[in-house]
Amino acid sequence: MSEDGLLTGEDGKVRCFWQQGLEDYRRYHDDEWGYPVTDDKRLFEKICLEGFQSGLSWLTILRKRESFRAAFAGFDFDKVASFDDTDIERCLADKGIVRHRGKIVSTINNARRAVALRDEFGSLARYFWSFEPKQDERPEVFDYATLRANPTTPASTRLSKDLKKRGWSFVGPTTVYAFMQAMGMVNDHIEGCHCRPRIEAMRQEFIRP
C-alpha cells in the first residue's frame, strides 16, 4: 500500500487499500461497496452484518455472509422478527456464522424494530436515506487521511441516536458509519480509486427514496 491509501492491482487498476488484493474482497470493493442501495432486505442485512463485524474484520463477515443469510432467512426481517429461543439456539450452534449470543439476539430485536420502522415510514430505505449528510458536511477531498480521521461523522451519530431511541441495538456511531459507507449513503472510495468517479456519477443520477 502506498502512503495515499491506494493499491494497484495486477490488472493495473488502482483501488482502496483495504481490499488487500484478495479476489473476493476485491469483488466486494469493485461491485458492491458504496453503491446506493434502496432494497429493504439488503439494507437490513447490511446493518446487521456491520453489527456482527464489531470487534472483528469485515473480511471474516464477508466470507461468512452466505451462512448468515441461511441462518437469518435471507435477512427477511418479517421472518426474523418471529424468531424464538429455538432459533437463537440454532444460530448459536451454527459454525458458519459468528456465534455471539448478544449479536444474534440483537438481530432478532432489530428485525422487530425494522418492521415498526417500515410500517411508520413506508420503507427502511425512506427512513435511512433521510439521514444522508448534506454536501457541507462532507470533505471537499476524500483522501486516506480523511478516512483514517473519521471513524464516525455527525450524520452517523444522528442516525445512531435515533435508532437507539427506537430500540435498536449494536448500532453505535462507528457501526452506523460503516453501514452508511457500505450502502452508498456516502462515497468513501479514496480519491484515485478507480471506483470513486463511477460511483459519484451514479449518486448524481440516483433517485432518493
Side-chain angles (χ1 to χ4, degrees):
M1 182 188 79
S2 62
E3 293 182 358
D4 56 8
L6 297 168
L7 188 66
T8 302
E10 294 179 357
D11 58 3
K13 293 182 179 179
V14 178
R15 297 175 172 89
C16 302
F17 71 95
W18 53 260
Q19 47 78 35
Q20 300 172 35
L22 302 171
E23 184 177 354
D24 51 354
Y25 220 3
R26 185 174 64 244
R27 285 198 306 269
Y28 176 71
H29 169 276
D30 284 7
D31 302 331
E32 185 174 348
W33 193 77
Y35 287 72
V37 175
T38 58
D39 179 82
D40 279 4
K41 288 181 185 177
R42 287 190 64 207
L43 288 168
F44 183 66
E45 173 185 300
K46 285 180 179 294
I47 199 165
C48 289
L49 291 183
E50 293 296 348
F52 271 104
Q53 185 270 333
S54 180
L56 302 169
S57 76
W58 175 249
L59 185 58
T60 297
I61 302 301
L62 181 64
R63 289 178 170 172
K64 291 177 178 287
R65 184 162 62 170
E66 290 306 319
S67 294
F68 274 111
R69 288 170 172 168
F72 289 102
F75 288 96
D76 182 330
F77 50 89
D78 285 298
K79 293 179 179 178
V80 178
S82 67
F83 279 17
D84 56 19
D85 289 345
T86 301
D87 293 292
I88 294 172
E89 295 305 317
R90 171 179 56 79
C91 290
L92 285 170
D94 189 342
K95 295 180 180 180
I97 69 170
V98 174
R99 295 183 289 175
H100 184 292
R101 179 180 289 273
K103 293 177 180 180
I104 292 167
V105 171
S106 172
T107 300
I108 299 168
N109 167 74
N110 289 351
R112 294 166 183 164
R113 306 288 77 77
V115 170
L117 203 60
R118 189 262 322 277
D119 291 347
E120 180 179 351
F121 289 88
S123 69
L124 298 190
R126 187 170 296 140
Y127 168 78
F128 284 129
W129 278 98
S130 71
F131 286 87
E132 183 180 12
K134 303 298 183 185
Q135 190 61 42
D136 61 5
E137 289 188 272
R138 297 289 296 158
E140 291 186 14
V141 176
F142 196 86
D143 55 16
Y144 182 41
T146 303
L147 179 67
R148 292 185 62 190
N150 293 282
T152 67
T153 65
S156 76
T157 300
R158 289 194 297 270
L159 176 52
S160 171
K161 287 181 178 178
D162 196 71
L163 287 169
K164 288 178 180 179
K165 278 178 23 180
R166 295 173 181 276
W168 290 62
S169 51
F170 281 91
V171 286
T174 301
T175 294
V176 167
Y177 189 51
F179 164 68
M180 292 167 64
Q181 293 172 311
M183 59 149 310
M185 193 184 295
V186 294
N187 180 6
D188 279 3
H189 283 274
I190 297 170
E191 296 284 351
C193 171
H194 81 97
C195 291
R196 183 173 178 83
R198 173 158 44 100
I199 291 176
E200 199 57 37
M202 184 183 299
R203 284 176 47 79
Q204 295 301 318
E205 299 295 328
F206 176 63
I207 298 174
R208 273 63 176 170

